[in-house]
Amino acid sequence: KENSKSKIVIANLLNEKSNSFIAIENELEENANIEHTLIEFGGSTRVSNYYSKMQGNFSQNDIKTVYLGKHNDILDINYNIEEYGRKTKCNINVQGALAGNSHKNFKGIIDFKQGSKESKGFENENCTLLSNTAKSKSLPVLLCHEEDVEGQHGVASGKIDESKLFYIMTKGISYEDAKKLIVKANFNEIIKSINNEELEN
């Protein structure tokens, strides 16, 4: 609703034999501010769908996601944000890591609709590959039906920088622990925003 503020955390910590299907839909009125934090750590098959209509002027939508794939996990992440109001702002920040034979598909759409003048949309996904057989596919999309808007998207996918690993290992840390430290560092900003110590741990 108008002028509302919401902060929602969904943590998927299911066991490895489970499947997870999450669907989120919202519609933001004027000056509404919503923040979703999605933690995708559990389940062998995970499907997350997020759909948002930013109808109201000055509405804001902040989506933060961390995921970890292992063994033969399959992750399918789909985000679709439609900006209708003037001076709206959305931000998608996704940080993940894949090990084993896990597969991940990410599709993020930011769509500036007619009437969304002076609106902004930012999208970033970073995937760290921890094995030679893990697969990451990303499709960031910006659509624009209006003038005077600002949209940015970026995707990074690859193995951990060997020079970073070497530097950490010179401090007496093992190869495996060095990899964990780098992945944790990528996740840390989002994890710390949860503001729940038990869940953070």
Side-chain angles (χ1 to χ4, degrees):
K1 295 296 184 181
E2 188 175 332
N3 299 317
S4 64
K5 289 188 178 181
S6 301
K7 184 171 183 178
I8 299 166
V9 177
I10 299 176
N12 168 12
L13 305 174
L14 294 167
N15 63 43
E16 294 178 4
K17 296 180 180 179
S18 301
N19 296 322
S20 170
F21 302 95
I22 296 173
I24 299 167
E25 185 173 345
N26 55 53
E27 194 168 304
L28 305 183
E29 296 181 6
E30 186 162 324
N31 204 38
N33 187 326
I34 193 165
E35 179 182 322
H36 269 97
T37 303
L38 306 174
I39 313 298
E40 288 284 357
F41 286 169
S44 60
T45 299
R46 285 167 254 169
V47 179
S48 295
N49 293 315
Y50 186 100
Y51 176 61
S52 180
K53 291 178 77 171
M54 301 178 69
Q55 297 277 25
N57 299 335
F58 307 103
S59 57
Q60 294 188 45
N61 195 339
D62 196 6
I63 306 160
K64 304 171 185 177
T65 301
V66 292
Y67 64 81
L68 181 62
K70 53 197 181 301
H71 309 308
N72 295 305
D73 292 352
I74 298 172
L75 293 83
D76 193 8
I77 303 168
N78 304 286
Y79 295 160
N80 189 345
I81 315 298
E82 296 179 344
E83 298 191 51
Y84 289 88
R86 288 174 61 92
K87 295 188 177 181
T88 60
K89 183 178 179 182
C90 79
N91 186 45
I92 300 171
N93 182 13
V94 180
Q95 300 289 328
L98 298 174
N101 297 311
S102 58
H103 286 65
K104 182 265 322 178
N105 294 310
F106 169 78
K107 182 177 175 184
I109 299 172
I110 297 175
D111 191 353
F112 295 102
K113 298 293 189 180
Q114 191 169 354
S116 62
K117 283 184 182 294
E118 300 181 73
S119 292
K120 297 180 180 181
F122 306 103
E123 179 177 6
N124 179 59
E125 196 233 351
N126 178 49
C127 179
T128 304
L129 299 175
L130 301 173
S131 75
N132 292 324
T133 51
K135 299 259 195 266
S136 170
K137 293 181 182 177
S138 299
L139 183 61
V141 178
L142 289 175
L143 302 174
C144 188
H145 309 275
E146 185 56 271
E147 299 176 358
D148 193 19
V149 296
E150 181 182 350
Q152 297 178 19
H153 64 66
V155 169
S157 182
K159 294 187 176 179
I160 294 174
D161 187 336
E162 290 294 327
S163 62
K164 286 184 182 178
L165 283 173
F166 176 77
Y167 175 77
I168 294 171
M169 290 170 68
T170 61
K171 308 297 181 186
I173 296 171
S174 71
Y175 179 76
E176 288 300 319
D177 285 342
K179 285 201 299 185
K180 288 178 184 176
L181 275 175
I182 291 173
V183 171
K184 283 182 181 180
N186 291 341
F187 288 1
N188 201 44
E189 180 185 350
I190 295 175
I191 297 292
K192 289 297 181 185
S193 72
I194 294 173
N195 296 327
N196 179 309
E197 187 176 355
E198 183 180 355
L199 188 52
E200 284 180 32
N201 290 333

